[in-house]
Amino acid sequence: MKMSPRTAHVNPDYSLSNMAVELKTLDIVRQHLNGSSCRRERSSIGQFLTPAEIARFMASLFEWRREHVRILDAGAGVGVLFAACVEALVSARQRLLSIHVVAYEKDQHVLPYLKETMDRCESTCKEVGIAFRGEIRAEDFVASAIAQTEESLFVVQGERFTHAILNPPYKKINGQSATRRLLDAAGIEVSNLYAAFVWLTAKMLEPGGELVAITPRSFCNGPYFRRFRIRFLDMMSLRRIHVFDSRKKAFGDDDVLQENIIYHAIRGEQKPKHVMISSSEGIDFGKSKIRSVPYEDVVLPTDRDAFIRLVLNDTDNRVMKRMQAFETSLVKLGLDVSTGRVVDFRSREYLRALPEDGTVPLIYPCHFEAGFVKWPIESGKKPNAIIAETRTKELMVPTGYYVLTKRFSAKEETRRVVAVIYDPSRFEAPFVGFENHLNYFHAEGRGLSVNMAKGLALYLNSSLFDQYFRLFSGHTQVNATDLRKMYYPSREQLLRLGSHVRHRMPEQETVDAILEKECERDG
């Protein structure tokens, strides 16, 4: 496109400085909205506006090799993400003829700001002779995207984009909502809106199209996002993943403690040999630590659940190497792990504060002490017993040695995995109930041998296991499915480890030394 006489001699740096001012202004707007009365409403719809520095970093991950660029911003907010893209394109000094931006946003509070951002982008592009077209669609992205990507002989394929950048809403999908029905009809099985947005956005890319998104890390593992991971990794080729070392830094002024990641992927290309993985404490991306990791170490070829493991540094790499000493699955050990069956609010009429005739122990996380179950706790707020009768029988398991882990840890707790042993010799009861906030390891529904239980508990309490678990778990919940996916010592190794446990779990330093010796033994 030939520049008009008015703009032919404009310095591109002038327009670039205009965009820098625009991004700074949008950051001020974001902070204003964070302190305004509509903040609660935005939180209720899962909307957390993107800081300008994060938007710039995300835009920098694109390759920008095309003359005609079509950008999709799903859930645009005030428009900082596509504005950062325009800034990057204007500064690239390459042969760029046109930019077309489509921005979806339903929040009436931010639409005036979004329109101003779109107008500023148009003005900036006009100054440097780039044709610009911007569309704001104040409509439901999920419904619109499904209509455009529906595969049917009678439906004309919708528009496709060369680039997509998004910070999608983070909110669980109500099982009775219209959104849930739309997604189910389209075969999109996800539990959170952010995954639906990413899935649909990927489908709207043309072959070779690029996507950059910032989302919670929770999709990287666990059963709830399995179909999403498999479909996403089938459609897209992961190229870059960035992890924030602190939960508080990405959206700190929104009081969000979610663990977020940024990722760049390309539609339909062959999987690369390596994935670039970087990390930073906060938004000072210039100090990021970057490493190249083999793709097969990020997504194991044999993993049917397609967990995404994030190896960030040499320490993580050493953890991966150390874990090679333990290659046994729970299935090979004849073990399984399940979630506690007692949901206390559903069984309230059967619960008792203290044990009495006709009751058996009911175990909560508050009963964890020094690697074993301490029961009862008379001063605690939780009940200690459950009535044993026909109606509660299915909530219990036969007495025996079990290994228990907490399903939830505090957001900033040092350890993610905390394990104890239920020792039946300490209790006179034929059955035991495990509350729903616990996972329990068992052998076909029954207890383990004493040394197997002790060895397993020691292994789960090791720093090595905790560090390995964190490589692919981005949330504080410890699901039974996650634990099934882990590797474990062989039966012989577990029995050796168990011989070091007496009446209480050794101190952390001793536990780690015992496991280190076992690693060297098998190294």
Side-chain angles (χ1 to χ4, degrees), residues 347-420:
S347 309
R348 193 169 289 121
E349 62 182 297
Y350 304 109
L351 308 186
R352 297 294 181 265
L354 293 172
E356 57 187 56
D357 289 343
T359 67
V360 298
L362 174 59
I363 309 304
Y364 282 81
C366 63
H367 293 107
F368 283 29
E369 185 178 283
F372 283 81
V373 169
K374 180 183 178 181
W375 181 92
I377 299 179
E378 296 187 17
S379 59
K381 296 181 180 180
K382 298 294 185 181
N384 282 281
I386 181 170
I387 293 176
E389 61 170 57
T390 303
R391 286 173 291 183
T392 59
K393 187 176 181 180
E394 64 179 16
L395 303 179
M396 305 170 191
V397 294
T399 191
Y401 283 93
Y402 295 93
V403 177
L404 315 178
T405 67
K406 296 180 181 180
R407 285 183 59 208
F408 302 92
S409 58
K411 288 187 179 295
E412 300 303 330
E413 191 171 350
T414 303
R415 293 191 55 76
R416 187 70 53 83
V417 181
V418 179
V420 298

Side-chain angles (χ1 to χ4, degrees), residues 131-204:
F132 182 88
R133 179 187 172 198
E135 297 181 53
I136 296 175
R137 299 179 183 175
E139 58 188 87
D140 181 65
F141 171 71
V142 170
S144 177
I146 288 176
Q148 292 187 57
T149 58
E150 185 177 356
E151 297 178 1
S152 170
L153 294 174
F154 307 103
V155 176
V156 179
Q157 179 174 293
E159 61 194 327
R160 293 295 179 262
F161 297 89
T162 62
H163 300 81
I165 187 166
L166 69 160
N167 171 13
Y170 174 67
K171 184 182 179 183
K172 289 186 178 180
I173 301 172
N174 187 314
Q176 306 302 317
S177 65
T179 298
R180 175 76 279 158
R181 291 193 293 272
L182 278 171
L183 291 170
D184 287 346
I188 298 176
E189 184 181 313
V190 290
S191 58
N192 199 291
L193 266 180
Y194 84 79
F197 269 59
V198 174
W199 188 328
L200 288 165
T201 297
K203 291 182 70 174
M204 295 177 75

